[in-house]
């Protein structure tokens, strides 16, 4: 295989890493960037999505149905969480950190009690490979790329072209005024949180076949997607896309030469260095 | 005023330690005393978190990086990893010193980027969380130095030689006394820092960063100093911990311990070093008493504590003490 | 007959009492202005009517419906439009989105839905796709009024519409309010620092002092000299 082909294949692999990261990061961004709650349990919502697929598999359900279930189940859990206690946390950053961290510990423990601590493997709903540059590129990778290419514009459309999106942005910018124009701010916040949670569940379901599913799998994704959000800039959704591309791309390239842990440590170092000189994020224009 | 405050803090820590030690010895004999001694060291660690969070408002979810690094430093020195450097041959004093200096150095480097990059609020917390997460992963992977999953066993206890006088902390009582003395000194020392003009600047930092700027203070610099002091104290606690536990592993650097320390402070009460100390000892002791349940439900226990702390919204045990002292029956909020 | 009636309303900010038993009435189809120095509770009264600040005691009746316990979104849906002090645009939303939020049915996509508004405010039609934050102060005030009108309110609460706006536009804004009142019979409760301006359009007036209404009546019979000496001179 020539160097060109190798680079192209590496590029495709990086694109898959970026896609999965982007799916997670957008959900985190909706809840943080739009609503000001830094949800430290976002990684665990993702794990819940992955475990929903595991459970569906145990019941003999097809992987696609498992993915659909993951969206519904995690979205519903998100609804319960928002109604019971997350809604008390808006605009209280410190409390939201403590409470959502507590929540993440609880979810991890519950997952471990129900499914055990041992890693689980999930098989992809589609198998087989597409011959590409002399190698078989898994079809499922292509599914992930295509899904991300659909989801991201869909989210953009939802937030910038629909009435619900308009209301969500209005509540974020001036909660009282939005209420004075008939917007039920509490309900709107619930919707936004549920969308973020459902996205995390979806991402977890999509990622599950690529990695080993463990109760504490969420931490790594929380850390990476947070870095993507912060390096891209909290201000706009395009920042999340840019941030994910940067983080995922760097990880892919560095991991190619060494271990993935080293890659993540180096990327964290880079992110901290970047924020030192561009605190508002790389992709935000001020 | 300065002297009295530090004295009160030191004495309170002494009283708590003595009571805890007596209870531990009463219930569990020599082993119980050793257990309590460990909790006291964690109390020292908790004070470093409170110094940072309670006084300057910086909530770190990565304080265990410094604690764990201190623990490994002591272990490395005592196990002769650095024997090729003459000063750092196998001596307890060198071990403890390195446990203070290395974490402080790391704090200076990390702090430079964090504070001059103006990373504040939730972002600061999550960056420190990421730091702790990745450092512990790194330690896990670098098994030649950090011992991987099994860690480094057989770390020798403290042994100090001063002229002809020799003392080894092999006996439970000796190590209990040493640790108590260190906690008292550290508590009084931290408290006296807080009573200086610098300490007052810290309170300004917690209340309003902007006001501090108007007064012409360099906010980033103030943060750097607190952060480094707190890392040094955490490192010292780590060093002592490894000498008592006799065993260090990657999880001492990790997120779980980092955030557990935050819970101790929240349970004990922020902004009062004594509260953090008490919180650590109490939470650990209670979870030990429930050990049958707590071992397999440990995270559940911690998670519920986190949420309770937020929902109850008062300032932990110290908040209750304060309320009792003022004779106010009950007021909402803090 | 009164469209809005406020009876014995008390409101607190924390422990301090901001409204101490306010009573007033706004008549159908008339402009009523609320006078008083800064910090006397005028804005707080408007916020309390909207449901933004909780009413601790007393009654607020709008067209026969008790509203003092309602949330702001319910008050809006009954037909009370609010133009707050400082305008409160959504700065990162476009002019069109700001107006759309003013509709009671926000999903209404009819192309001529803002037709009448654009006749009153032609400038807004030109700036439809621009972010509201980029408009000038006067334009933002127009937008704030247009946004409140988009919901076809029966009562308009307007708080300090001329504050911080260049004099040429001040007159236009007040003429506009007078025109809306005359042509469409819109009822308006106007808070205004500038007494001369306020009285040039208003039919009724109230004066507030320290969280209470101390004077009131029709502008026609008002003893301007006494009111100024007693309550408005700083």
């Amino acid at each position: 295989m020539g160097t060109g082909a190798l680079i192209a294949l590496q590029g495709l692999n990086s694109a898959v890493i970026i896609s999965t990261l982007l799916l997670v990061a957008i959900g985190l961004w909706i809840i943080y960037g739009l609503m000001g709650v830094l949800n430290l349990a976002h990684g665990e919502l993702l794990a819940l999505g992955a475990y929903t697929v595991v459970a569906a598999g145990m019941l003999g359900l097809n992987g696609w149905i498992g993915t659909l279930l993951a969206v519904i189940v995690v979205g519903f859990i998100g609804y319960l969480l928002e109604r019971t206690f997350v809604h008390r946390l808006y605009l209280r950053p410190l409390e939201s950190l403590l409470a959502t961290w507590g929540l993440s510990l609880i979810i991890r423990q519950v997952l471990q009690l129900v499914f055990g601590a041992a890693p689980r493997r999930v098989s992809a709903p589609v198998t087989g490979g597409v011959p590409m540059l002399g190698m078989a590129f898994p079809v499922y990778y292509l599914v992930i790329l295509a899904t991300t290419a659909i989801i991201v514009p869909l989210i953009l459309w939802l937030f910038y072209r629909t009435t619900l999106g308009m209301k969500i942005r209005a509540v974020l910018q001036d909660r009282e005024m939005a209420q004075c124009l008939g917007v039920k701010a509490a309900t709107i916040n619930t919707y936004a949180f549920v969308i973020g949670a459902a996205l995390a569940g979806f991402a977890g379901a999509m990622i599950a076949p690529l990695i080993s599913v463990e109760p504490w799998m969420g931490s790594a994704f929380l850390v990476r997607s947070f870095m993507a959000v912060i390096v891209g800039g909290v201000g706009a959704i395009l920042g999340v896309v840019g941030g994910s591309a940067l983080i995922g791309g760097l990880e892919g390239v560095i991991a190619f030469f060494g271990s993935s842990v080293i890659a993540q440590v180096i990327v964290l170092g880079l992110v901290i260095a970047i924020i030192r000189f561009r605190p508002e994020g790389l992709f935000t224009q001020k | 005023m300065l002297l009295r405050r530090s004295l009160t803090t030191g004495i309170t820590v002494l009283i708590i330690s003595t009571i805890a030690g007596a209870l531990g010895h009463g219930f569990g004999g020599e082993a119980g005393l050793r257990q309590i001694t460990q909790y006291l060291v964690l109390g020292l660690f908790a004070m470093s978190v409170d110094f940072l969070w309670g006084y300057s408002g910086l909530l770190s979810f990565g304080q265990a990086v410094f604690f764990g690094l201190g623990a490994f430093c002591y272990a490395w020195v005592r196990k002769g990893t650095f024997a090729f450097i003459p000063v750092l041959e196998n001596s307890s004093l060198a071990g403890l010193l390195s446990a203070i200096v290395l974490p402080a150095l790391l704090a200076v480097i990390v702090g430079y980027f964090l504070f001059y990059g103006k990373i504040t609020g939730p972002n600061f917390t999550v960056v420190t969380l990421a730091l702790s997460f990745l450092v512990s992963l790194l330690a896990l992977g670098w098994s030649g130095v950090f011992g991987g999953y099994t860690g480094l066993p057989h770390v020798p206890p403290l042994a100090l030689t001063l002229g002809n006088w020799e003392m080894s902390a092999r006996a439970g009582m000796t190590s209990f006394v040493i640790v108590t003395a260190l906690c008292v000194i550290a508590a009084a020392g931290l408290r006296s820092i807080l009573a200086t003009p610098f300490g007052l600047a810290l309170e300004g930092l917690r209340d309003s960063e902007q006001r501090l700027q108007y007064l012409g203070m360099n906010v980033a610099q103030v943060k750097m100093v607190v952060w480094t002091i707190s890392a040094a104290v955490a490192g010292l606690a780590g060093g002592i911990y490894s000498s008592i536990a006799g065993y260090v592993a990657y999880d001492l650097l990790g997120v779980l311990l980092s955030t557990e320390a935050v819970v101790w402070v929240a349970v004990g009460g922020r902004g009062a070093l004594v509260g953090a100390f008490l919180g650590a000892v109490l939470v650990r002791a209670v979870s030990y008493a429930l050990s049958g349940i707590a071992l397999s439900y440990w995270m559940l226990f911690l998670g519920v504590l986190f949420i309770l702390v937020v929902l109850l919204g008062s300032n932990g045990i110290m908040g209750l003490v304060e309320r009792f002292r003022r004779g106010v029956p009950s007021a909402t909020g803090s | 007959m009164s469209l809005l009636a406020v009876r014995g309303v008390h409101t607190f900010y924390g422990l301090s009492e901001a409204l101490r038993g306010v009573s007033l009435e706004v008549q159908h189809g008339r402009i009523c202005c609320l006078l008083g120095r800064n910090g006397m509770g005028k804005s707080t009264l408007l916020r309390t009517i909207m449901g933004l600040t909780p009413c601790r005691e007393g009654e607020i009746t709008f067209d026969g419906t008790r509203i003092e316990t309602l949330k702001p979104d319910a008050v809006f849906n009954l037909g009370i439009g609010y133009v707050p002090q400082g305008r409160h645009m959504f700065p990162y939303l476009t002019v069109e989105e700001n107006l759309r939020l003013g509709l009671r049915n926000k999903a209404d996509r009819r192309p001529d839905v803002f037709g009448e508004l654009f006749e009153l405010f032609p400038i807004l039609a030109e700036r439809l796709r621009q972010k509201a934050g980029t408009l000038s102060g006067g334009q933002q005030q127009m937008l704030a009024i247009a946004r409140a009108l988009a919901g076809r309110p029966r009562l308009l609460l307007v708080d300090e519409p001329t504050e911080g706006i260049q004099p040429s536009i001040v007159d236009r804004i007040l003429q506009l309010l007078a025109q809306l009142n005359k042509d469409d019979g819109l009822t308006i409760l106007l808070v205004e620092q500038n007494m001369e301006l306020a009285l040039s359009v208003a039919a009724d007036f109230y004066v507030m002092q320290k969280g209470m209404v101390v004077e009131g009546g029709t502008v026609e019979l008002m003893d301007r000299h006494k009111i100024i000496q007693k309550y408005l001179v700083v």
Side-chain angles (χ1 to χ4, degrees):
Chain A
M1 186 168 23
T3 326
L6 201 65
I7 290 175
L9 205 64
Q10 180 58 28
L12 271 173
N13 274 324
S14 289
V16 172
I17 297 180
I18 292 169
S19 297
T20 54
L21 183 58
L22 186 52
L23 286 178
V24 189
I26 280 190
L28 185 77
W29 173 78
I30 289 173
I31 298 173
Y32 185 35
L34 285 177
M35 305 161 71
V37 169
L38 187 41
N39 180 16
L40 294 183
H42 195 70
E44 278 60 44
L45 293 176
L46 173 123
L48 281 170
Y51 271 103
T52 309
V53 176
V54 170
M58 287 158 74
L59 295 172
L61 293 170
N62 157 317
W64 297 120
I65 296 175
T67 307
L68 183 67
L69 278 176
V71 174
I72 296 168
V73 167
V74 181
F76 183 66
I77 290 173
Y79 172 78
L80 292 180
L81 291 177
E82 208 280 342
R83 286 320 315 153
T84 48
F85 85 119
V86 173
H87 72 98
R88 297 165 197 243
L89 302 175
Y90 296 121
L91 306 178
R92 295 167 68 194
L94 187 81
E95 280 91 345
S96 67
L97 284 173
L98 296 176
T100 55
W101 180 254
L103 185 64
S104 85
L105 294 178
I106 293 172
I107 296 177
R108 269 186 248 180
Q109 184 88 76
V110 168
L111 284 175
Q112 192 174 331
L113 288 172
V114 175
F115 293 96
R120 302 268 187 154
R121 284 252 160 226
V122 173
S123 51
V126 281
T127 48
V130 181
M132 205 175 276
L133 308 163
M135 279 182 77
F137 193 73
V139 178
Y140 190 64
Y141 283 18
L142 296 179
V143 172
I144 287 183
L145 292 179
T147 312
T148 312
I150 294 169
I151 291 279
V152 174
L154 199 69
I155 296 288
L156 276 169
W157 173 79
L158 179 73
F159 277 97
Y160 292 96
R161 288 285 175 272
T162 66
T163 306
L164 175 65
M166 180 176 76
K167 287 180 182 171
I168 292 175
R169 284 179 295 136
V171 169
L172 175 81
Q173 287 173 34
D174 193 329
R175 188 187 170 96
E176 284 196 341
M177 196 59 227
Q179 287 177 300
C180 288
L181 295 170
V183 178
K184 289 191 171 62
T187 316
I188 292 296
N189 279 334
T190 309
Y191 283 137
F193 191 84
V194 169
I195 292 171
L199 263 176
F202 179 69
M206 291 302 287
I207 293 165
L210 303 180
I211 56 173
S212 63
V213 176
E214 299 164 343
W216 46 87
M217 64 188 276
S219 303
F221 282 98
L222 173 75
V223 167
R224 295 168 65 222
S225 59
F226 172 77
M227 288 194 286
V229 168
I230 198 139
V231 83
V234 193
I237 197 167
L238 283 178
V240 187
V241 178
S244 302
L246 187 73
I247 304 283
L250 277 173
E251 274 177 6
V253 172
I254 302 172
F256 186 67
F257 297 105
S259 87
S260 71
V261 171
I262 306 277
Q264 284 189 32
V265 173
I266 293 176
V267 170
L268 174 69
L270 280 175
V271 166
I272 292 177
I274 289 173
I275 306 173
R276 162 72 183 88
F277 298 106
R278 241 189 110 80
E280 72 277 10
L282 281 180
F283 304 96
T284 318
Q285 70 270 50
K286 272 264 152 87
Chain B
M1 185 66 178
L2 192 157
L3 194 69
R4 218 192 66 197
R5 280 236 183 121
S6 6
L7 216 62
T8 320
T9 308
I11 290 173
T12 318
V13 167
L14 181 65
I15 294 173
I16 296 172
S17 308
T18 314
I19 295 175
L23 284 174
H25 198 270
F27 279 108
E30 178 83 7
L33 190 63
R34 279 186 177 283
Q35 201 78 32
I36 291 293
T37 310
Q38 270 192 26
Y39 300 163
L40 298 186
V41 179
L42 296 177
L44 180 59
F45 176 36
M47 285 195 278
S48 83
V49 174
D50 189 28
F51 187 68
L52 188 65
W53 179 28
Y55 286 95
S56 54
L58 291 164
L59 173 59
S60 167
F61 271 16
Q63 195 74 352
V65 168
F66 305 120
F67 179 83
L69 187 60
F72 274 103
C73 279
Y74 177 86
W76 289 327
V77 170
R78 293 289 275 151
K79 290 171 83 71
T81 314
F82 293 135
F84 56 91
I85 308 170
V87 195
L88 291 182
E89 40 189 333
N90 182 358
S91 103
S92 291
L93 203 62
L96 286 186
L97 277 180
S98 66
I100 295 173
V101 173
L102 230 66
L105 264 179
L106 180 68
V108 169
I109 296 168
V110 176
Y112 166 76
F113 285 101
L114 292 186
F115 299 131
Y116 287 91
K118 301 206 169 54
I119 298 181
T120 52
N123 289 355
F124 174 81
T125 306
V126 185
V127 169
T128 52
L129 174 93
L131 188 73
S132 183
F133 177 71
L134 290 175
V135 167
S136 65
L137 274 190
L138 198 65
L140 187 58
W142 199 353
S143 54
V145 176
F146 290 91
Y149 273 109
T150 45
L152 305 175
H154 311 303
V155 179
L158 286 173
L160 298 173
T161 320
L162 275 177
N164 288 334
W165 181 73
E166 257 184 59
M167 187 244 13
S168 163
R170 210 162 284 281
M173 189 49 92
T174 323
S175 82
F176 172 76
V177 171
I178 294 176
V179 166
T180 302
L182 270 171
C183 287
V184 170
I185 294 169
L190 287 175
R191 171 52 96 182
S192 64
I193 292 176
L194 292 170
T196 61
F198 174 75
L200 296 177
L202 282 189
E203 278 184 42
L205 192 66
R206 184 186 56 189
D207 297 338
S208 160
E209 235 173 70
Q210 222 155 35
R211 188 164 1 125
L212 215 58
Q213 263 166 352
Y214 294 149
L215 291 174
M217 310 272 303
N218 183 335
V219 173
Q221 223 165 44
V222 174
K223 285 181 177 172
M224 277 293 276
V225 175
V226 194
W227 169 248
T228 308
I229 293 176
S230 122
V233 175
L236 171 67
I240 303 170
Y241 182 86
S242 83
S243 81
I244 295 170
Y247 162 77
V248 287
Y250 75 101
D251 57 349
L252 290 183
L253 297 151
V255 177
L256 210 54
L257 184 61
S258 293
T259 55
E260 193 191 336
V262 171
V263 159
W264 297 333
V265 176
V267 166
R270 281 208 282 160
L273 296 166
V274 174
F277 185 75
L278 183 62
V281 176
L282 218 60
V283 171
R284 272 297 169 114
V286 168
S287 62
Y288 180 77
L290 303 169
S291 64
I293 318 164
L295 271 183
S296 47
Y297 293 84
W298 176 229
M299 282 195 296
L300 204 63
F301 177 66
L302 272 187
V304 170
L305 265 184
F306 262 108
I307 289 175
L308 279 182
V309 161
V310 172
L311 290 187
L312 296 181
S314 65
N315 190 25
I317 297 171
M318 290 313 283
L320 291 177
V321 171
E322 192 64 22
R323 212 178 276 172
F324 183 70
R325 227 194 249 165
R326 286 201 199 140
V328 181
S330 149
T332 44
S334 52
Chain C
M1 186 211 143
S2 65
L3 181 63
L4 178 80
V6 177
R7 282 190 202 92
V9 163
H10 291 255
T11 295
F12 290 78
Y13 275 134
L15 289 175
S16 66
E17 195 170 9
L19 298 183
R20 307 190 291 167
V22 170
S23 299
L24 56 77
E25 290 191 0
V26 180
Q27 307 297 327
H28 251 297
R30 288 170 77 95
I31 297 183
C32 174
C33 73
L34 198 52
L35 304 169
R37 287 196 297 267
N38 264 332
M40 292 301 166
K42 306 184 302 284
S43 294
T44 308
L45 178 61
L46 296 199
R47 287 178 57 86
T48 309
I49 296 169
M50 279 314 291
L52 287 171
T53 306
C55 171
R56 246 358 136 70
E57 212 185 303
E59 296 174 10
I60 304 174
T61 313
F62 175 67
D63 200 20
T65 312
R66 292 278 293 272
I67 63 166
E68 71 271 8
T69 56
L70 295 184
K71 294 248 163 58
D73 53 271
V75 175
F76 167 85
N77 281 322
L78 281 176
I80 300 185
Y82 179 43
V83 183
Q85 191 174 16
R87 304 180 280 276
H88 286 258
M89 292 293 89
F90 300 104
Y92 302 111
L93 265 54
T94 63
V95 169
E96 185 183 0
E97 285 172 325
N98 268 282
L99 287 175
R100 194 173 291 289
L101 278 160
L103 295 171
R104 287 203 227 178
N105 172 15
K106 297 178 190 359
D108 192 339
R109 294 274 177 181
R110 280 177 297 143
D112 62 335
V113 66
F114 300 124
E116 290 170 32
L117 286 178
F118 291 155
E119 281 170 29
L120 288 171
F121 307 95
I123 183 79
L124 297 181
E126 295 166 22
R127 307 272 158 114
L128 225 44
R129 306 250 165 241
Q130 214 168 311
K131 293 263 191 300
T134 66
L135 298 181
S136 73
Q139 289 166 349
Q140 288 193 17
Q141 189 65 63
M142 304 269 189
L143 178 54
I145 295 173
R147 186 177 62 183
L149 292 175
R152 298 189 170 279
R154 287 184 293 154
L155 170 67
L156 195 62
L157 308 179
V158 188
D159 196 351
E160 306 266 7
T162 64
E163 186 190 40
I165 286 173
Q166 49 182 344
S168 60
I169 302 183
V170 164
D171 286 337
R172 270 181 55 201
I173 287 175
L174 283 167
Q175 278 164 21
L176 190 86
L177 292 178
Q179 187 193 337
L180 284 167
N181 171 255
K182 207 174 91 196
D183 297 353
D184 306 339
L186 181 66
T187 312
I188 299 174
L189 177 56
L190 172 68
V191 170
E192 177 57 61
Q193 284 279 329
N194 186 330
M195 188 182 88
E196 287 307 317
L197 278 177
L199 295 182
S200 69
V201 296
D204 305 308
F205 79 97
Y206 285 97
V207 181
M208 281 187 75
Q209 171 129 327
K210 293 181 182 160
M212 284 185 285
V213 168
V214 286
E215 295 277 345
T218 62
V219 172
E220 231 175 355
L221 301 173
M222 175 179 180
D223 181 350
R224 296 195 184 197
H225 185 71
K226 181 190 125 195
I227 300 274
I228 292 175
Q229 287 301 321
K230 211 167 162 192
Y231 304 110
L232 300 179
V233 173
V234 180

